[in-house]
Amino acid sequence: MKFLNKLIPSSRCLVLVTLLSTVACNEILEENPYTTFTADYFKTSGGFRSAVVTGYAGMRFNYGPIGALDINVFGTDEWTNGDQAISSPLNVYNVSTSEGDLLTPWNNNFWHINTLNLIINLKPEELIDVREADRLAWVAEAHYLRAHYYYLLVTQFGAVPLDLGSGELQFNDLPTSAFNRLPVDDLLVKNYQAMIDDLTFAVENLPAKRPERAFSLSKSAALHLLAKVYLYRGYSAARQPSDFQNAYNTAIQLIDGKDTYGVALLENFADVFREGNDYNAEIMYAVERLPKNNTANEMIDPSTDFANKANMTNNMFNSNYQGPIFVFDPTTTPPSTQAYIDGRPLEYGRPLRRFAPTKWLFETAFADKKNDSRFDNSFRMVWYARSVSATPPATYVNRLNVIGLAIGDTAFYLTKTDREADSLKALTGVQKKKYRVFGPGEFYTNTNRTNLIYPSLKKFQSVQRANFQDASGRPLPVSRFAETYLLAAEAAMLLGQPGEAADLINVLKRRAAYRPGLTPEEIDNRYSAMEVTADDINIDFILDERTRELAGEHSRWPDLAARGKLLDRVPTRNVDAANIQPHHVLRPIPQSQLDRISDPDKAKYQNPLY
């Protein structure tokens, strides 16, 4: 292995991506392409800031593209594969050391870490035209970003190198065939401490609040990730006695100081993900992109490129809404048919059918779909007659009219119970519904592929796209204030305070009871039906609550793995993942990495049983 090629860029080629001069959401990101660098460039104000911005931009590899989605969504209790990803290795746990999705973080995160190492370690006297106030703020951002890159690696692979060839957390510009991963147990301790140290520095030195219209880092994002890292370390082999207490204290600091840090829970869960409201106070950090600007988003071709930095979240959770058809002329041979939906309207995204909800998610996690608004606000269950064309084709409109439908009418509807579906289908005469109805028993599963239809996650809906093949240009939420309550509740439970945990979770339950148009009394009644007590609190309940709040938000696999719950929950809730084995709680070190190691005994660097 040569780190130079895969992990660490040389000083003459430090940053191979386009450098962006600003991360403000409401401006076109100005490109400043460079192909060669020396380390001296980063001692200038422009070079220093470019390195930080590149650290922001590199997060696009980890949030949005197909590889990043696969490693965080597949093989969990929440999601199984749709019909366009049958038997995905990560979902059925047939994971090899050459699994391409694992290269998404592995091939991209280390060289960003290396660049961040450089600017973090530059001394003030080495800098040319950098003001001290700017340096401190930029270094604080760099510390957060470095911790976040390591968090993404450690939660997938376990211990990963801190020494990239020139010492731990030092910049390296020379090729190396060493792989500094041993001893693994000691390194994991250092990994977690490095993340905690970085995030502590970030908390102390980042601004209290983020700007209203940009996801520049602030104390809230750092506190949130620090609480999570403490919690995860507490579950790990690197645990320290104070971890759960520190996780609780950190999360509570953010919750109690929400006004200071400029964060808040929104009244309506639906507003958190409403397109056009992306910079709301509940989202502390998101990976930014710009609508309809694939150049700024570092996209090659969104019609065919689902990897690299593409944000495909608005497409991968969709079922085949183009599939349901109706007969408009039964006299022909064969009868003439028409799809209910004409093409791929922007509001529905591309039906790439990669991730489908498990029966457990639909039937059990979201058993209460009346009192808890989060299911309806997370999943699409109804599709309307729409066309991809601004002016729908006359033939499509006329064929709709033949069966009594018009543009904008309900085209097909997924019911929440089979009984409801049977009742709607039984209507006759003038009462008969003209749209298609599918009950849960007809939803797609890997044992029932009659209909490629299932509830489709709509949190990441992206209408502001250049065309129906385009990727999303919306910011992709990473840290959300609602999760801070869940982290605090979990830490409280682990500290033997289930009553405190229930109180924190009930804050989210009360918000979940809210629906526009309900009276205060109706909201209170719905909340009372969901309110929990100390007796309800255990780790499985908290994981269920995380599903209800965070379904599809890029964290389920590491959430289960870190807590030691993959082996317990996945086989009983995702029948396609029945092959999971104990060693699958860590991903394999990629074979391409091991092939570059000069040490002939490569096996000692691999995770067990791969």
Side-chain angles (χ1 to χ4, degrees), residues 347-348 378-383 454-458 461:
E347 67 184 287
Y348 296 150
S378 298
F379 289 90
R380 184 185 305 281
M381 296 282 280
V382 60
W383 284 257
Y454 47 79
S456 299
L457 191 71
K458 65 180 182 180
Q461 174 180 298

Side-chain angles (χ1 to χ4, degrees), residues 301-324:
D301 181 357
S303 66
T304 59
D305 177 22
F306 300 163
N308 296 305
K309 293 186 175 181
N311 183 4
M312 302 304 295
T313 49
N314 62 307
N315 297 320
M316 293 297 182
F317 294 89
N318 295 330
S319 64
N320 187 20
Y321 60 79
Q322 294 178 288

Side-chain angles (χ1 to χ4, degrees), residues 291-556:
K292 301 182 181 181
N293 192 332
N294 287 321
T295 300
N297 297 338
E298 303 172 275
M299 276 292 304
I300 300 171
D301 181 357
S303 66
T304 59
D305 177 22
F306 300 163
N308 296 305
K309 293 186 175 181
N311 183 4
M312 302 304 295
T313 49
N314 62 307
N315 297 320
M316 293 297 182
F317 294 89
N318 295 330
S319 64
N320 187 20
Y321 60 79
Q322 294 178 288
I325 59 174
F326 60 87
V327 176
F328 71 88
D329 187 351
T331 65
T332 64
T333 304
S336 299
T337 61
Q338 170 69 54
Y340 280 90
I341 311 295
D342 176 50
R344 298 175 176 180
L346 295 180
E347 67 184 287
Y348 296 150
R350 294 173 69 177
L352 294 182
R353 293 125 63 186
R354 191 162 188 85
F355 306 120
T358 61
K359 290 184 68 175
W360 171 81
L361 185 148
F362 180 81
E363 295 177 355
T364 304
F366 284 106
D368 185 352
K369 300 178 180 66
K370 174 186 175 182
N371 297 305
D372 193 329
S373 70
R374 289 174 292 189
F375 179 83
D376 287 336
N377 287 324
S378 298
F379 289 90
R380 184 185 305 281
M381 296 282 280
V382 60
W383 284 257
Y384 301 97
R386 297 274 196 269
S387 173
V388 68
S389 303
T391 302
T395 53
Y396 170 61
V397 175
N398 292 337
R399 290 168 182 176
L400 284 175
N401 292 340
V402 168
I403 64 166
L405 291 179
I407 295 292
D409 288 348
T410 298
F412 56 93
Y413 170 53
L414 278 59
T415 62
K416 294 172 181 174
T417 66
D418 285 318
R419 181 177 181 180
E420 180 188 3
D422 292 342
S423 297
L424 289 172
K425 291 176 183 180
L427 294 174
T428 60
V430 295
Q431 291 182 306
K432 185 172 179 61
K433 302 300 180 183
K434 298 176 176 62
Y435 52 81
R436 276 292 289 282
V437 174
F438 298 91
E442 300 171 287
F443 295 172
Y444 167 88
T445 68
N446 288 341
T447 57
N448 179 11
R449 298 174 186 162
T450 304
N451 305 302
L452 306 182
I453 294 297
Y454 47 79
S456 299
L457 191 71
K458 65 180 182 180
K459 288 179 176 180
F460 310 115
Q461 174 180 298
S462 180
V463 175
Q464 296 301 311
R465 293 180 290 130
N467 56 62
F468 67 91
Q469 298 286 75
D470 200 7
S472 174
R474 293 183 62 185
L476 186 56
V478 173
S479 299
R480 193 150 66 77
F481 191 42
E483 189 189 13
T484 310
Y485 280 85
L486 291 168
L487 296 173
E490 185 174 354
M493 176 200 71
L494 293 164
L495 293 170
Q497 302 169 27
E500 168 75 357
D503 290 343
L504 288 159
I505 287 174
N506 281 330
V507 174
L508 301 182
K509 292 287 194 183
R510 178 166 286 281
R511 195 263 291 273
Y514 176 86
R515 294 178 191 259
L518 293 180
T519 66
E521 182 180 11
E522 289 172 323
I523 294 171
D524 285 344
N525 289 339
R526 294 191 178 201
Y527 167 64
S528 296
M530 292 188 289
E531 187 178 10
V532 296
T533 67
D535 291 339
D536 298 310
I537 302 300
N538 56 49
I539 186 59
D540 284 303
F541 176 84
I542 285 177
L543 285 169
D544 291 354
E545 191 66 17
R546 288 183 68 85
T547 287
R548 289 184 278 270
E549 186 68 35
L550 304 170
E553 295 181 46
H554 294 74
S555 65
R556 190 60 173 183

Side-chain angles (χ1 to χ4, degrees), residues 255-310:
I255 291 168
D256 288 348
K258 58 183 182 294
D259 293 337
T260 299
Y261 303 123
V263 297
L265 288 178
L266 302 193
E267 180 182 38
N268 184 1
F269 183 88
D271 287 340
V272 179
F273 299 97
R274 179 167 51 82
E275 188 171 10
N277 193 40
D278 300 285
Y279 293 88
N280 64 73
E282 186 163 330
I283 301 174
M284 298 175 288
Y285 172 53
V287 174
E288 291 188 299
R289 295 172 174 90
L290 293 180
K292 301 182 181 181
N293 192 332
N294 287 321
T295 300
N297 297 338
E298 303 172 275
M299 276 292 304
I300 300 171
D301 181 357
S303 66
T304 59
D305 177 22
F306 300 163
N308 296 305
K309 293 186 175 181

